Amino acid sequence: MADTELMDKLVSLAKRRGYVFQSSEIYGGAASVWDYGPLGVELKRNVKEAWWKSMVHERDDIEGLDAAILMHPRVWEASGHVSHFTDPLVECLNCHRRFREDTLLSEQGAGSPAELQCPSCGTRGKWTEPRQFNLMFKTFKGPAEDSAEIVYLRPETAQGIYVNFLNVQQSARQKVPFGIAQVGKAFRNEITPGNFTFRTLEFEQMEMQFFVKPGTDAEWFERWREQRLAWHREVLGLAPDRLRYHPHEKLAHYASAAGDVEFFFGGSIGDEGWGEIEGIHNRTDYDLGRHQEYSGKRLEYIDAAAGERYLPYIIETSAGADRVTLAVLANAYREEEVEGETRVVLSLRPSLAPLKTGVFPLVKKDGMPERAGRIHEALRARGIPSFYDESGAIGRRYRRQDEAGTPFGITVDGETMENGTVTVRERDTMAQARIGQDQLEAYLRERIG
Ligand code: ATP
């Protein structure tokens, strides 16, 4: 399968099986905004929960936070977003489509804008002068659309963490080094969104800001870089040969070191198919320093034992929940030939799969539907998301769950009625085992994790 086809196939599977729908579809769709359907919302929640578990629940040195999307407008002046969060926008004078000049220059390997060709109509060298376009969505608070009442939809969740640094440190009685983690929506008015959920206008971030003593920052940066790469590989199961770390050559105004965890999506994403899923940055003391200056409030950490006070440096790990979920889907998608037919499988880790089991009566008679229904209800009651299906041939029912990514199929057949055993079919290998009904939960739990 060509890389370019993968995204088209994922878009269609996502719609067919209820992972992702285009926003406002009945109105012709809202471009670059997507809705998660019944299975998609579960998958994304499982990704976010796996992150929260690794970052917050399994550690003593990271606290959670849920800061509001709307913040004081001065936050965005202090952070540099009002003046710096811009992309150079150019418009083709022939077809009037708009693009990011920097992206076109690097994609086309061009030395100057005069050499650039419009990707839409093919006209060369006919562009408006580049204009710095701010990516923040702006709105107004209260009834008067007055510049004094401007508020922004946050373009990153990080600033909510920085302004709460002392609140969290003092209330949780944390000592530096420690971190604050948060999952939440962010909004960017991207000039060229696209590639399904890879680049959208509204998305979710999973961000962790780790506060360290100046001088220990390079070492912490290295530690976080390694831990985050290992997380994508070991917890999400992303294939090692589709993961890489890419250091930034050009650094943002706030950073002293930065790099991206990239996943190989293929097609037109990123650098020859490699797209960023998480950024890791050494933000120095820039953020706390700026908020201290703009708010007039001291934000220093006081180390009473050492008799020191200082502004901590920040190591940031910033992952996109939507991009990571898309990477999980792309990583899981397989097509295989089985008995002359193409079998589509979403080979999701059982811990991430939206549904863990499909429960099927072999036939719709002899008490099998009732028995299977009871197994399904018992699993659900025990916190194992399950799906009951009695319609159509058993092969078709298996295939539907293969596409949905359900790792186990449980079938009630004649033997079940005689001796209380069921067959458990494993999605990836299609191997079947006979398990006593009373062993079922333990068998599944061991494999779901
Ligand atoms: P890019 O270079 O792709 O625009 P970025 O470097 O601006 O990304 P960061 O500001 O580091 O991204 O944001 C952290 C993470 O948030 C990214 O790694 C990505 O997973 C996610 N993200 C950023 N912008 C978007 C977007 N428009 N749509 C979906 N996810 C996004």
Side-chain angles (χ1 to χ4, degrees):
M1 176 177 36
D3 300 333
T4 40
E5 284 173 36
L6 173 64
M7 210 45 78
D8 291 342
K9 290 189 166 169
L10 275 182
V11 174
S12 103
L13 176 121
K15 172 156 190 207
R16 198 163 65 241
R17 289 287 161 236
Y19 271 94
V20 182
F21 309 124
Q22 194 180 16
S23 163
S24 321
E25 196 187 86
I26 59 167
Y27 287 94
S32 308
V33 207
W34 299 88
D35 298 337
Y36 287 82
L39 296 190
V41 63
E42 297 290 340
L43 177 64
K44 191 160 106 166
R45 275 175 67 137
N46 291 343
V47 166
K48 290 185 287 185
E49 272 165 25
W51 184 88
W52 194 261
K53 184 166 173 275
S54 303
M55 289 304 223
V56 182
H57 289 169
E58 290 178 357
R59 303 184 64 117
D60 287 327
D61 60 352
I62 300 184
E63 304 290 341
L65 179 75
D66 184 8
I69 289 172
L70 302 178
M71 299 182 75
H72 195 289
R74 288 277 284 166
V75 166
W76 305 108
E77 289 170 30
S79 68
H81 282 84
V82 171
S83 53
H84 281 86
F85 198 54
T86 55
D87 281 335
L89 174 112
V90 287
E91 187 176 316
C92 170
L93 291 170
N94 183 47
C95 72
H96 302 288
R97 291 280 305 271
R98 292 166 172 183
F99 300 93
R100 270 176 68 169
E101 187 189 47
D102 54 340
T103 314
L104 290 184
L105 286 168
S106 75
E107 277 173 3
Q108 298 183 16
S112 78
E115 295 167 31
L116 289 179
Q117 188 174 23
C118 174
S120 176
C121 70
T123 305
R124 194 178 287 278
K126 296 254 182 295
W127 299 98
T128 57
E129 281 298 308
R131 173 164 76 82
Q132 289 305 320
F133 173 78
N134 196 297
L135 271 65
M136 280 198 295
F137 281 100
K138 222 189 249 181
T139 185
F140 300 94
K141 203 169 62 168
E145 293 201 355
D146 185 311
S147 63
E149 300 300 329
I150 285 179
V151 282
Y152 298 99
L153 299 187
R154 67 179 176 199
E156 61 177 29
T157 62
Q159 301 301 325
I161 295 182
Y162 305 144
V163 300
N164 278 299
F165 161 62
L166 285 182
N167 281 340
V168 173
Q169 186 260 318
Q170 289 163 3
S171 60
R173 300 175 58 227
Q174 279 287 357
K175 291 191 171 63
V176 167
F178 80 98
I180 304 177
Q182 148 154 270
V183 177
K185 289 264 184 179
F187 303 81
R188 296 185 187 176
N189 202 357
E190 301 270 5
I191 296 172
T192 41
N195 277 316
F196 196 24
T197 55
F198 183 81
R199 190 177 301 285
T200 52
L201 306 181
E202 172 182 342
F203 54 97
E204 260 183 298
Q205 291 187 311
M206 308 185 287
E207 293 199 305
M208 193 284 300
Q209 312 290 327
F210 204 75
F211 301 87
V212 305
K213 188 173 178 184
T216 63
D217 47 304
E219 184 193 322
W220 275 108
F221 179 84
E222 199 46 40
R223 266 199 227 178
W224 278 114
R225 189 180 79 82
E226 279 166 19
Q227 287 186 28
R228 295 308 303 149
L229 266 166
W231 185 81
H232 289 283
R233 209 173 43 232
E234 286 157 23
V235 177
L236 299 185
L238 298 184
D241 61 351
R242 290 176 83 170
L243 270 179
R244 74 178 188 191
Y245 175 75
H246 179 73
H248 283 191
E249 283 141 29
K250 225 174 96 195
L251 294 175
H253 60 278
Y254 53 75
S256 75
D260 300 329
V261 177
E262 294 184 340
F263 175 79
F264 185 75
F265 290 93
S268 60
I269 285 181
D271 172 17
E272 296 188 348
W274 288 91
E276 167 184 342
I277 53 175
E278 172 158 357
I280 299 162
H281 311 119
N282 180 346
R283 301 184 64 121
T284 70
D285 59 0
Y286 175 83
D287 304 281
L288 291 181
R290 293 278 288 196
H291 286 304
Q292 178 165 273
E293 181 190 334
Y294 278 65
S295 68
K297 301 278 180 339
R298 288 187 94 156
L299 295 179
E300 287 166 320
Y301 170 72
I302 300 172
D303 183 343
E308 293 177 326
R309 57 191 309 155
Y310 55 83
L311 278 182
Y313 269 38
I314 295 172
I315 309 301
E316 165 181 74
T317 70
S318 174
D322 307 85
R323 270 196 206 172
V324 170
T325 302
L326 184 61
V328 166
L329 280 172
N331 187 67
Y333 188 91
R334 318 229 180 300
E335 283 178 9
E336 316 169 339
E337 284 301 308
V338 178
E339 291 160 9
E341 274 186 42
T342 306
R343 178 173 95 112
V344 175
V345 191
L346 270 190
S347 220
L348 297 167
R349 282 232 159 150
S351 57
L352 297 177
L355 293 164
K356 311 302 180 192
T357 57
V359 183
F360 319 111
L362 185 63
V363 287
K364 252 200 279 186
K365 57 181 188 190
D366 302 335
M368 290 182 207
E370 293 74 18
R371 184 81 173 246
R374 283 198 297 276
I375 293 176
H376 162 67
E377 276 161 30
L379 289 172
R380 233 182 27 196
R382 302 286 299 154
I384 298 180
S386 172
F387 184 79
Y388 175 78
D389 189 1
E390 58 176 27
S391 63
I394 189 74
R396 299 259 323 253
R397 284 181 267 164
Y398 285 152
R399 294 286 189 274
R400 283 201 287 263
Q401 292 308 313
D402 288 345
E403 271 202 346
T406 310
F408 302 104
I410 296 162
T411 307
V412 166
D413 56 15
E415 228 180 299
T416 316
M417 309 308 281
E418 282 164 23
N419 64 14
T421 61
V422 292
T423 64
V424 180
R425 172 186 178 271
E426 209 269 327
R427 175 199 63 205
D428 295 348
T429 59
M430 295 186 284
Q432 303 204 8
R434 272 216 97 83
I435 310 286
Q437 229 180 288
D438 51 347
Q439 305 295 312
L440 192 56
E441 187 184 337
Y443 180 92
L444 294 171
R445 288 219 185 275
E446 196 185 314
R447 286 159 179 79
I448 293 166

